[in-house]
Amino acid sequence: MSRRRTALQTRLVLCAVTASALLLSGCGAQGALVGLHPAPPEASTSAPLDAEGAGAIATRLLSEAGAVAAEKGKAGDAARAEILAGDALTVANAASARGAAEPPPETLQVPPEATLLGQSQGREWPRAILAATLDESTNVQVLHVMMSTAPAEPFRIVSQVSMLAGSELPALAAPSEGAPMLAMTQKEGLPGSPEEVVKAYAAALAHPKPTASALVTTTDPFAVALKASADKQSKDLGALGTLTQTHTPDLKGAVSFRLADGGAVTFALMRRTDTYKASAKTKELTLPADLAAVAGRRAVTSTAEFGSLEPIAMVLPPTAGAAEAIAATDLLVSGKGR
């Protein structure tokens, strides 16, 4: 490929923010975020914040999000809504309700180190920050998008998703310059709009009848694992029944940035539905333990349906080529059977 592709690990030298930086600059940076100070006279194409201020905001938000991740009930939902929004809030609330959220760390005095990868360009709203952290327990990089939607609105985390093994995030423009944000329908300089690409990826993941598209590739670890799991389950079911999987894009909270090479990175959410249907001659289907726990029953005589949330990040190449998922995960959130 002619497109410059540098490993995320190389890009993570941009700006590591420490706890001392947070203590010194966090409060002042938040004031600048919400437009309480007049805009400086620089060109409107520059980034709205300096790297230190943007990094401090990212570190503060990630620390606060970790502190309330596992809180349950309405109080937990309310606490998370002060720090998260959009797709990140949807996933975090579902994880808490399922008991899948990690408990807060033993100490919150030292915030997690956030590495600033880029921020939006210009002094209009919405404004966004893209940062990364390293999950030291798994050695997996996690991408986080923070956004302020209006002058009176503070930054909140709107998307966070773990990178896939072997995946790379091409560089954005330097944080001081700012990376343009793209509308989900914007196609200029891309093989397809971010909206078209996410929809094509969702259709290409369907089981048992995927819809192939030149816009996307499904050779990433997430897509490969999904296909292998669905194929195995269908084989195991045999004549007892069928499995159908659909992936529906939920683009209300999607965010896209232009990359330095002219491509784009898009953060979005898909909702997967797994439907198990017993054949006419099958008296009942016995569900695996994890699915039975969600459905509230061990066996079904007709159908069982399960819902999962799938936050993803996709890299779109400039001009031509197939987009690929570089980050993705899934969370089982609902189930019912009869």
Side-chain angles (χ1 to χ4, degrees):
M1 297 175 64
S2 61
R3 184 159 66 101
R4 178 161 55 98
R5 296 295 302 270
T6 304
L8 174 63
Q9 286 76 7
T10 303
R11 302 300 174 195
L12 295 186
V13 299
L14 293 176
C15 178
V17 181
T18 64
S20 59
L22 171 64
L23 293 174
L24 291 172
S25 62
C27 295
Q30 182 64 23
L33 289 175
V34 297
L36 299 181
H37 302 290
E42 298 101 316
S44 61
T45 55
S46 63
L49 298 168
D50 61 28
E52 184 179 21
I57 291 163
T59 296
R60 174 182 58 79
L61 285 173
L62 292 172
S63 177
E64 292 175 352
V68 299
E71 290 189 18
K72 292 186 175 295
K74 293 182 178 179
D77 292 348
R80 283 184 287 274
E82 294 295 319
I83 305 158
L84 300 99
D87 296 345
L89 181 60
T90 298
V91 174
N93 283 345
S96 174
R98 284 286 328 280
E102 295 184 0
E106 294 180 1
T107 175
L108 295 175
Q109 279 72 39
V110 180
E113 287 193 354
T115 301
L116 180 64
L117 303 181
Q119 59 173 316
S120 57
Q121 187 181 80
R123 300 189 178 279
E124 301 299 322
W125 275 266
R127 297 178 177 183
I129 296 169
L130 175 58
T133 56
L134 176 66
D135 184 337
E136 294 185 354
S137 64
T138 60
N139 202 35
V140 171
Q141 298 284 354
V142 183
L143 301 176
H144 312 268
V145 181
M146 294 83 172
M147 182 174 288
S148 169
T149 58
E153 289 295 322
F155 272 85
R156 288 181 172 86
I157 302 170
V158 297
S159 181
Q160 42 192 4
V161 58
S162 299
M163 291 195 71
L164 300 170
S167 296
E168 300 175 351
L169 174 64
L172 282 74
S176 59
E177 299 175 8
M181 293 181 66
L182 303 180
M184 288 298 290
T185 56
Q186 187 172 338
K187 187 176 178 178
E188 293 81 356
L190 300 169
S193 70
E195 179 180 12
E196 291 171 334
V197 164
V198 174
K199 288 182 176 180
Y201 186 64
L205 296 179
H207 176 86
K209 296 181 179 180
T211 302
S213 171
L215 287 177
V216 296
T217 176
T218 54
T219 58
D220 61 89
F222 182 68
V224 170
L226 277 175
K227 183 180 187 304
S229 175
D231 287 347
K232 183 179 186 304
Q233 290 182 73
S234 292
K235 182 179 179 181
D236 291 344
L237 281 169
L240 295 175
T242 60
L243 166 64
T244 302
Q245 283 186 347
T246 60
H247 303 256
T248 304
D250 183 348
L251 301 179
K252 295 188 297 293
V255 182
S256 294
F257 297 89
R258 181 75 74 175
L259 296 170
D261 65 2
V265 58
T266 293
F267 296 83
L269 178 68
M270 298 188 301
R271 296 177 181 267
R272 188 177 86 236
T273 302
D274 294 11
T275 303
Y276 299 83
K277 185 176 182 180
S279 64
K281 296 181 180 181
T282 300
K283 292 183 178 181
E284 67 175 27
L285 291 176
T286 301
L287 300 174
D290 57 336
L291 298 183
V294 176
R297 57 194 305 165
R298 190 74 176 91
V300 296
T301 58
S302 179
T303 61
E305 185 174 286
F306 298 91
S308 297
L309 299 176
E310 298 175 322
I312 61 170
M314 300 194 71
V315 167
L316 287 64
T319 308
E324 62 180 335
I326 62 164
T329 187
D330 66 342
L331 174 67
L332 178 64
V333 296
S334 65
K336 60 183 180 180
R338 64 179 188 272

